[in-house]
Amino acid sequence: MDRIGLLGGTFDPIHYGHLRAAEEAYHALSLTKVIFLPTADPPHKKRPDLSPFAYRFEMVKLATRDVPYFEVSDLEARLPRPSYSVRTLSSLRETLAAELFFILGLDAFLELETWYHYEELPKLAHLVVVTRGEGGKEAFCAKAKALFPAIREEEGLYRHPEGYTIRYLPILRLDISSTYLREAFRRGLSARFLLPEEVRLFVLAKGLYRSGAGADARGGCGKSPE
Ligand code: ATP
Ligand code: MG
């Protein structure tokens, strides 16, 4: 049976942190492929400046097009809003005859209790938590036990009695975030080497992340430099 990795995200914009997480999970777990799932309406991110789905989808396509085992899905644009991961996973379970591995960063896992029906997630797919931000395996273990008290330790990972496994996958820590990149673009700073060049050029061509430009972006004195 195929082993499919799933990486959900806002991808506003996609960067090398996302791509390396997918790449490392692909190799470490012997996956058949990884499907990137740009979220249509992220329940946790009510950013008024969220880029349109079509742009975020296009950026993920550009970033992944040369990798035969990476795919992009527009599924969340077709599902009811807001985009809940349990809904997305349930839908994928109906259409894909494969073992599913839901990949997420430790930062996201540490606030999983804020996700809609998070307790259902390990009943739908394996959870793969990759290094991101502060903390490591200890933080992961403590959180996993608090979130899912019924899990049992088994050969270096946890197993949910009604479902799948929950594991920590240490990957190279890349301190790159879309938040940082949006700010860099807004301020006209270099974003080069933090995201694929095609994506960087797309952002510049579409003028993304510039709308919030204020006095700070113009030198901090409230007046445009001549
Ligand atoms: P933002 O700053 O807007 O929150 P982000 O960089 O965190 O953006 P998201 O689209 O929120 O990117 O992240 C999607 C998924 O990818 C999450 O599970 C997140 O933890 C993971 N992720 C994002 N950046 C990294 C990174 N640098 N290393 C590992 N995982 C990452
Ligand atoms: Mg994030």
Side-chain angles (χ1 to χ4, degrees):
M1 196 188 309
D2 281 351
R3 293 161 63 86
I4 299 184
L6 305 166
L7 181 63
T10 313
F11 303 122
D12 195 16
I14 188 166
H15 52 70
Y16 284 132
H18 299 124
L19 291 160
R20 284 297 308 181
E23 174 75 4
E24 292 209 35
Y26 171 78
H27 290 287
L29 304 173
S30 304
L31 301 177
T32 319
K33 61 180 169 183
V34 178
I35 304 177
F36 290 68
L37 291 150
T39 189
D41 177 12
H44 291 108
K45 289 189 185 161
K46 293 295 172 205
R47 282 188 15 237
D49 58 336
L50 180 74
S51 302
F53 179 85
Y55 283 171
R56 292 181 289 109
F57 181 80
E58 187 60 31
M59 289 191 280
V60 179
K61 255 173 94 174
L62 287 172
T64 56
R65 68 177 173 193
D66 293 334
V67 186
Y69 47 84
F70 283 175
E71 266 179 28
V72 193
S73 165
D74 64 355
L75 174 64
E76 290 203 348
R78 291 180 274 118
L79 289 176
R81 318 287 173 94
S83 308
Y84 293 129
S85 295
V86 278
R87 191 141 59 194
T88 307
L89 285 177
S90 302
S91 167
L92 286 167
R93 283 292 301 269
E94 285 168 20
T95 51
L96 295 175
E99 209 169 338
L100 302 180
F101 294 78
F102 187 67
I103 305 160
L104 71 169
L106 182 61
D107 64 317
F109 186 71
L110 291 180
E111 47 184 49
L112 204 68
E113 71 275 9
T114 64
W115 290 27
Y116 179 78
H117 284 301
Y118 73 88
E119 64 286 350
E120 299 299 317
L121 290 170
K123 298 179 196 169
L124 296 164
H126 298 283
L127 301 190
V128 181
V129 179
V130 300
T131 313
R132 211 262 164 122
E134 298 294 312
K137 184 152 192 189
E138 275 150 48
F140 160 78
C141 293
K143 191 70 187 187
K145 285 186 231 160
L147 289 168
F148 308 108
I151 56 174
R152 293 284 163 261
E153 217 165 332
E154 192 181 280
E155 293 166 18
L157 41 75
Y158 292 118
R159 182 171 287 280
H160 193 285
E162 294 171 63
Y164 295 92
T165 62
I166 305 173
R167 82 188 73 196
Y168 182 67
L169 176 65
I171 64 168
L172 181 69
R173 193 182 296 271
L174 289 182
D175 193 8
I176 307 174
S177 70
S178 302
T179 300
Y180 176 85
L181 288 168
R182 289 192 299 274
E183 183 64 9
F185 283 114
R186 186 180 75 76
R187 297 176 58 178
L189 303 176
S190 169
R192 216 187 277 264
F193 310 129
L194 297 176
L195 73 176
E197 187 62 2
E198 299 92 316
V199 177
R200 191 181 74 88
L201 295 174
F202 182 91
V203 169
L204 294 176
K206 300 289 179 200
L208 300 185
Y209 316 124
R210 288 199 340 215
S211 55
D216 193 36
R218 299 192 299 265
C221 301
K223 265 178 133 181
S224 298
E226 298 308 322

